[in-house]
Amino acid sequence: MTPGGELPIDAHLPAIRQALAAHSRVLLVAEPGAGKTTRVPLALLNEAWCLGERGASRLLLLEPRRVAARLAAGFMAESLGERVGETVGYRMRGESRVGPNTRLEVITQGVLTRMLQDDPLLEGVSGIVFDEFHERSLEADLGLALALDAQSVRDDLRLLVMSATLDIGALLGVLGEATPLLESQGRSFPVETRYRPLSFRSNSNSNSNSSSRDDAASQQAIAVGEALALSEGDALVFLPGVAEIRRLARELASRRPELAVRELHGRLPLEEQRRALKPEADGRRRVVLSTAIAESSVTVDGVRIVIDAGQERVPVFQPRSGLSRLETRRVNRASADQRRGRAGRQGPGLCLRLWAEEQPLPAHGEPEILQADLAPLAFELARWGIVEPSALAWITPPPAGALAAGRRLLQRLGLMDEGLLLTELGRSCIRWPTHPRLAAMLARAGELDAVPLACALVATLEGRDLDGEQDLERTLQARLAQPSAHRQWQREAQRLARIGGVGLEVTSLAPLGELLALAYPDRVAQRIQHDAGPGRFRLASGGLATLPERHPLAHAELLVAAELDGQASGARIFRGVAIERARLEALFPETREWRASLEWSEEQGRLIGEQVRGLGAVVLERKALSSLPPEAVRQALLDALRRRGELPFDDSAEQLRGRVSLLRQALGSRGDQDCEDEQDWPDWSLPALLDDLEAWLGPHLDGVRSLDAVARLPLGRFLLDSLDWSLCGRLDALAPERLEVPSGSQIRLDYTPCLEGRSPVLAVKLQETFGWRESPRVAEGRVAVLLHLLSPARRPLQVTADLASFWANGYPEVRKEMRGRYPKHPWPEDPTTAEATARTKRRS
């Protein structure tokens, strides 16, 4: 990138200034290459509202990634003929380049949350620009919600939300219908798109994952060579993760040594990231292998070719297990188009997509708030003083199950009280800019006289260079012995030590297990005495975890798992540290208290009760229980249902779930401006109901002592009783149990397909639908019913959701074939005007 030059956004700058002069909120949709990131903020600095009554005030520009923040600040400073830290600076976790005259701060999204929490009125800040908002990170969603709340008492604060693609309807629903919407075309050149699906070699060994991965890298390298032969310029290859990048880098190095192969991902030092963005000084053709970091914000100079593997890797949080799992998914269509656009930023380009053209892609990616660990969000809401999330304006409200799981974790850590507000320990964690788990460890490390070790440990756990199954204790020993060999780790550890007011001198690693237990009390694990051998553990949270039998910790009685692979059952432990029983008891006083424990035995088909002391499901000692407390019985039954992973719904309950699921899909989003419901239709999917058993089923288990008795309960009625009255009153009108067909019959709809996202089904004899010109619809006409048209013998003739098309195209053939087989039944030439009947011709 070089300063200067005309950009498409320049023509829209007067309109943007005018809109922000008259309104406190503005939406800007600008295509890639328009120049919005670097042109718009500079154009606003001298506006009257930005200068403020007391002189110049600051403007904040939010960037989703650190690399983009540094590059944007550097580019804008260069365009002013200045250095970063003068008029334009940047601020991110652990790094800041701002000065007394800085007016424009480029910040990462977490910094905005901390600024708002420290000063809810944002004194000295005149406006916030949210860039690349389409990425819908959790921190961006939270930052916008808090900024809108702050704006309610600071009406002079300007908010500008801009991106290449936006869900306009959802955003206007939050910002207000009167919010100005401005649009700008991007600067792009023609991009030829070709599809080139990979063809893998057959492998008789189906378990050879490494072989298949190498095969993928080999095929990708061939595709890179083909693309380089088809077009000039450098190539940008999008891959889902660092492992795939490194495999392809090795493959290209062996096949095409004349190429300059560069990696671009968040684990790299800044110097290497910058080098990847610039053409080679010696003129060699360059192939940049990147994660989604290059999808938006940054421009990779010299790129005229994009090769897209069509995948992305996202962390998905599982509320039931409290763990996150990285999932590799098909890239969504919006992201694929963003990637394609990278080939046309500086000239005509080529995009080679490594999948078949007919391969369907989801339209958009899910907002992070729907799939993330919400413990950090729960902490920030408690700090803001919010108990009900609905008190803030959300584009996508936080899911109830994930938020409840986050709050349970905070309570387990001692950071949140039963009123969902921060405890004294929670307030002491505010100064630590890290996940609440690690903040709890840092805040309590003084109890163990181990604050320096805690700082070193947190820097290690958060580091991007901790790969594979490295031994945590040995890793720490190596870094503490030679800190200069691990610069990034050293900087982060020293920064934390400064916050804690200590040096980084560590004399012993003995408290390592206790420190991890402070952060991960739910991941304290006890070895299961089992005939299958060592390496099987039960977590305090109740789940199972494993280590290879030859692992040094496989025989440990107790350990703390710092990292798991995220599977809800049988999770693989990647990093752990042993902990002594006496130290665990000293750390958690509740382990010395006896409590009643009941568990449903599938083998014996009954509740087994005992008195235990321990930490969650980790039992240190047990003895017989004389009686079964009702509350313990209730909890044991709920836990047993969760372990089974299913609920004994009868058909009526399943139909009810299907009806509500349909309405949730069709009407339940608050971003839907045509929806008149005051509340969202609830999530009655099986995982959500299992997460929320205490609320809707728990109160009805008095006197129930077996799972067979649970199966005899009217679960559908319990669900209906839990439905908000305003929704309950509309249920029959929006999703009727029966539908009247033209013959006058009232026929039952089948809503169970709606549980899988499909349409409700009406199985009806074809003759009873005469007179209908189009398929019937439910949910305020938004969803067409799937008709199963039956013969007089009630055998399927046609399945259609488009009855008009069937009458015009399919019915003539059906009539020709069926009128001879069923002559007593009417088969009119024009069924849309014929009289419907449930009888034969003789009785009609």
Side-chain angles (χ1 to χ4, degrees):
M1 295 186 297
T2 57
E6 188 73 18
L7 290 172
I9 198 67
D10 293 338
H12 300 273
L13 294 179
I16 296 170
R17 293 192 192 98
Q18 183 179 2
L20 283 168
H23 300 82
S24 61
R25 304 169 184 176
V26 174
L27 294 185
L28 171 62
V29 178
E31 294 179 1
K36 61 184 181 301
T37 300
T38 54
R39 288 288 215 266
V40 172
L42 290 178
L44 301 177
L45 285 183
N46 293 320
E47 291 296 288
W49 58 266
C50 195
L51 292 172
E53 296 179 359
R54 303 176 185 176
S57 62
R58 289 174 296 157
L59 185 67
L60 305 180
L61 171 62
L62 234 68
E63 287 296 327
R65 295 184 175 90
R66 297 164 69 95
V67 176
R70 292 190 190 100
L71 289 171
F75 182 86
M76 287 187 286
E78 185 181 355
S79 70
L80 297 175
E82 298 177 352
R83 292 178 299 177
V84 174
E86 297 181 31
T87 302
V88 181
Y90 66 77
R91 192 192 302 268
M92 59 193 66
R93 178 179 167 179
E95 188 177 352
S96 176
R97 291 188 64 181
V98 298
N101 299 320
T102 300
R103 302 249 351 265
L104 173 57
E105 287 190 25
V106 187
I107 61 175
T108 48
Q109 293 163 342
V111 172
L112 175 63
T113 302
R114 295 189 70 83
M115 292 176 70
L116 281 161
Q117 293 281 22
D118 293 339
D119 177 13
L121 294 181
L122 283 183
E123 294 288 350
V125 174
S126 56
I128 308 171
V129 180
F130 293 81
D131 193 22
E132 305 295 349
F133 195 78
H134 71 276
E135 295 193 10
R136 294 297 305 281
S137 73
L138 175 59
E139 288 179 328
D141 276 18
L142 173 61
L144 181 59
L146 296 183
L148 289 169
D149 201 40
Q151 205 179 43
S152 65
V153 292
R154 257 208 65 188
D155 56 7
D156 63 324
L157 180 67
R158 264 48 174 200
L159 302 180
L160 172 61
V161 181
M162 60 185 196
S163 175
T165 56
L166 287 174
D167 186 344
I168 302 301
L171 273 164
L172 289 177
V174 169
L175 300 180
E177 293 293 338
T179 302
L181 171 62
L182 307 174
E183 298 186 58
S184 170
Q185 299 297 313
R187 181 177 68 181
S188 61
F189 294 87
V191 176
E192 179 187 1
T193 303
R194 296 193 180 193
Y195 291 85
R196 199 274 195 199
L198 303 183
S199 56
F200 297 105
R201 299 185 295 269
S202 61
N203 192 332
S204 59
N205 183 4
S206 60
N207 294 321
S208 181
N209 291 328
S210 61
S211 176
S212 63
R213 290 194 292 263
D214 291 341
D215 194 13
S218 174
Q219 291 287 319
Q220 290 164 352
I222 294 171
V224 170
E226 293 172 358
L228 292 172
L230 289 169
S231 180
E232 60 182 12
D234 295 335
L236 173 61
V237 184
F238 284 101
L239 295 163
V242 176
E244 289 84 357
I245 285 175
R246 291 177 177 168
R247 278 193 291 270
L248 182 53
R250 289 193 297 267
E251 191 73 27
L252 287 172
S254 64
R255 289 174 177 265
R256 301 289 299 270
E258 77 280 6
L259 296 173
V261 179
R262 303 294 180 201
E263 298 182 13
L264 182 59
H265 51 79
R267 294 189 188 179
L268 290 174
L270 175 61
E271 296 75 17
E272 291 187 41
Q273 289 175 340
R274 285 175 171 163
R275 187 170 63 172
L277 296 175
K278 298 178 181 178
E280 295 299 308
D282 58 9
R284 284 186 300 160
R285 290 191 84 176
R286 181 179 47 144
V287 178
V288 180
L289 311 180
S290 176
T291 59
I293 196 172
E295 192 174 296
S296 59
S297 298
V298 302
T299 294
V300 187
D301 280 341
V303 165
R304 303 280 286 277
I305 302 168
V306 164
I307 301 153
D308 188 358
Q311 295 177 316
E312 60 182 352
R313 188 158 293 144
V314 293
V316 178
F317 180 63
Q318 301 168 307
R320 287 183 59 203
S321 67
L323 306 176
S324 292
R325 182 179 71 247
L326 281 175
E327 288 188 357
T328 302
R329 296 177 170 179
R330 281 279 178 192
V331 69
N332 62 78
R333 192 162 61 246
S335 291
D337 290 342
Q338 285 269 42
R339 295 177 178 187
R340 176 184 178 276
R342 297 283 129 179
R345 293 290 288 267
Q346 297 177 327
L350 168 69
C351 176
L352 192 63
R353 291 174 166 172
L354 303 185
W355 65 86
E357 186 172 3
E358 61 272 14
Q359 171 70 49
L361 299 178
H364 298 281
E366 276 194 334
E368 187 183 1
I369 199 170
L370 295 180
Q371 53 195 8
D373 172 9
L374 296 191
L377 176 67
F379 184 86
E380 297 297 343
L381 291 180
R383 187 181 173 193
W384 196 257
I386 292 292
V387 173
E388 291 297 332
S390 58
L392 296 177
W394 302 93
I395 298 175
T396 303
L403 183 60
R407 285 172 164 170
R408 286 195 297 269
L409 174 61
L410 296 183
Q411 290 170 335
R412 181 66 192 86
L413 294 170
L415 308 186
M416 178 180 280
D417 59 26
E418 292 184 357
L420 305 181
L421 298 176
L422 293 183
T423 62
E424 183 178 350
L425 176 61
R427 289 189 293 273
S428 72
C429 289
I430 290 173
R431 65 173 174 155
W432 298 105
T434 184
H435 190 284
R437 284 187 184 273
L438 304 182
M441 177 213 295
L442 290 162
R444 295 189 61 189
E447 302 171 17
L448 305 171
D449 194 24
V451 176
L453 176 59
C455 295
L457 177 57
V458 170
T460 302
L461 293 173
E462 289 197 322
R464 296 177 179 271
D465 54 350
L466 194 61
D467 294 325
E469 298 181 32
Q470 296 174 6
D471 182 270
L472 198 53
E473 190 168 353
R474 291 181 182 177
T475 299
L476 267 172
Q477 286 175 336
R479 295 182 177 188
L480 290 166
Q482 289 186 306
S484 59
H486 308 277
R487 295 285 190 188
Q488 192 171 353
W489 168 86
Q490 184 184 36
R491 284 194 296 269
E492 180 61 14
Q494 289 175 339
R495 184 177 75 90
L496 293 171
R498 285 194 298 272
I499 295 174
V502 298
L504 204 56
E505 296 77 23
V506 176
T507 57
S508 171
L509 297 184
L512 192 56
E514 293 163 272
L515 287 173
L516 283 175
L518 289 174
Y520 302 102
D522 51 326
R523 297 186 192 173
V524 173
Q526 181 178 42
R527 185 164 63 87
I528 299 172
Q529 305 296 331
H530 197 278
D531 294 340
R536 289 174 53 80
F537 293 84
R538 183 174 299 282
L539 300 166
S541 62
L544 299 178
T546 62
L547 278 171
E549 290 189 13
R550 296 184 179 180
H551 194 282
L553 292 175
H555 292 271
E557 179 190 355
L558 295 166
L559 59 81
V560 187
E563 186 175 337
L564 298 161
D565 69 356
Q567 298 295 332
S569 61
R572 174 71 178 274
I573 299 173
F574 283 101
R575 263 175 287 280
V577 174
I579 185 171
E580 297 177 7
R581 175 171 171 165
R583 290 181 178 269
L584 185 67
E585 292 177 338
L587 202 60
F588 298 103
E590 63 264 38
T591 59
R592 300 191 291 272
E593 299 175 358
W594 290 95
R595 55 185 167 83
S597 172
L598 281 83
E599 186 168 322
W600 179 263
S601 170
E602 294 286 357
E603 294 80 9
Q604 300 181 39
R606 66 183 182 92
L607 286 169
I608 298 177
E610 56 187 355
Q611 278 190 298
V612 301
R613 65 178 187 87
L615 188 68
V618 170
V619 177
L620 302 178
E621 192 175 356
R622 64 182 79 226
K623 60 184 180 181
L625 183 67
S626 57
S627 61
L628 303 182
E631 185 55 41
V633 170
R634 178 185 295 109
Q635 193 57 52
L637 291 174
L638 296 178
D639 291 342
L641 288 170
R642 284 198 178 97
R643 283 196 299 274
R644 283 188 171 185
E646 58 186 26
L647 292 167
F649 289 125
D650 59 18
D651 182 67
S652 65
E654 290 288 77
Q655 293 294 336
L656 175 63
R657 289 179 59 223
R659 293 165 71 194
V660 170
S661 177
L662 169 73
L663 297 177
R664 178 177 173 82
Q665 296 166 44
L667 305 174
S669 172
R670 295 191 183 187
D672 185 342
Q673 297 306 301
D674 295 328
C675 177
E676 298 178 358
D677 293 326
E678 295 180 0
Q679 295 197 7
D680 284 348
W681 290 88
D683 182 0
W684 281 357
S685 64
L686 187 58
L689 290 175
L690 288 170
D691 285 335
D692 202 30
L693 282 174
E694 283 80 3
W696 70 270
L697 180 59
H700 303 284
L701 294 184
D702 290 343
V704 178
R705 301 173 68 90
S706 72
L707 292 181
D708 286 343
V710 173
R712 293 193 292 271
L713 294 174
L715 301 186
R717 194 188 76 204
F718 298 161
L719 282 179
L720 194 60
D721 290 345
S722 71
L723 192 63
D724 184 85
W725 67 269
S726 64
L727 301 180
C728 194
R730 304 189 65 205
L731 180 61
D732 287 339
L734 294 171
E737 291 185 80
R738 294 180 175 273
L739 203 62
E740 183 174 345
V741 298
S743 67
S745 300
Q746 297 280 339
I747 299 182
R748 185 171 174 267
L749 281 159
D750 181 7
Y751 285 96
T752 55
C754 302
L755 294 170
E756 300 176 356
R758 294 181 281 126
S759 298
V761 170
L762 182 72
V764 56
K765 287 202 296 185
L766 185 145
Q767 280 76 12
E768 295 198 60
T769 66
F770 292 162
W772 263 347
R773 295 181 179 274
E774 295 181 347
S775 297
R777 307 180 77 85
V778 294
E780 295 182 339
R782 301 182 184 216
V783 179
V785 172
L786 186 66
L787 294 172
H788 286 204
L789 298 174
L790 308 178
S791 72
R794 303 199 67 82
R795 293 189 176 90
L797 290 175
Q798 182 74 24
V799 174
T800 181
D802 187 351
L803 187 59
S805 175
F806 168 69
W807 290 143
N809 303 304
Y811 175 73
E813 290 298 320
V814 170
R815 177 176 182 266
K816 184 186 303 182
E817 180 181 350
M818 292 290 108
R819 63 189 302 193
R821 187 177 301 179
Y822 299 103
K824 295 181 180 180
H825 294 265
W827 300 95
E829 290 189 14
D830 184 1
T832 64
T833 59
E835 181 180 354
T837 179
R839 303 165 180 257
T840 63
K841 288 189 288 189
R842 290 180 181 176
R843 298 180 61 191
S844 60

